[in-house]
Amino acid sequence: MRAFLWNNRAGMQELGVLPGGDSSRALAISNLGEIVGTSTSASGDHAFIWTNQTGMVDLNNASSADLGVVLFEAHSINDKGQIIAMGGNTGEGSMGNMPGSGHEECAPAPSGTFLLTPTSAK
């Protein structure tokens, strides 16, 4: 399974996978064309953002690692670049890899939901 973007001009454009991964899934697109979702990676399921300029980028970084959190799915993005992502405690293992974890659909938002806001708001 691979995330893709489709339009009338170019048709289907595969978005790729994170390093070490073999599947991805797009879950939302902003009016600016920024796409968020989830991808397998060398260290489990990770949330991503994709743009024309950067391609697919893992939303996990030094800040999330310092907090002891792994973000495994990004569910929504708005035109300000704010992202709603699901995550879990790294001390408990990657929740994104647990069979039957139920993170495929979320309502209402569990305590492992994060709002990511860019430092330079658009």
Side-chain angles (χ1 to χ4, degrees), residues 2-5 15-16 18 23-39 46-52 54-60 71-86 114-118 122:
R2 296 289 173 101
F4 70 92
L5 173 64
L15 303 184
L18 292 173
S23 67
S24 60
R25 187 167 52 130
L27 298 173
I29 185 169
S30 73
N31 290 325
L32 302 174
E34 299 166 316
I35 300 169
V36 295
T38 185
S39 174
H46 280 201
F48 73 80
I49 183 169
W50 180 95
T51 68
N52 275 323
T54 64
M56 187 178 287
V57 175
D58 194 333
L59 287 174
N60 292 277
L71 302 170
F72 54 77
E73 277 188 353
H75 284 268
S76 184
I77 183 167
N78 65 21
D79 294 343
K80 292 181 181 179
Q82 296 172 312
I83 299 169
I84 299 291
M86 301 275 300
F114 301 87
L115 173 62
L116 309 176
T117 302
K122 296 175 184 171

Side-chain angles (χ1 to χ4, degrees), residues 3-15:
F4 70 92
L5 173 64
W6 183 90
N7 66 44
N8 285 331
R9 242 177 319 154
M12 285 180 64
Q13 175 185 355
E14 186 178 320
L15 303 184

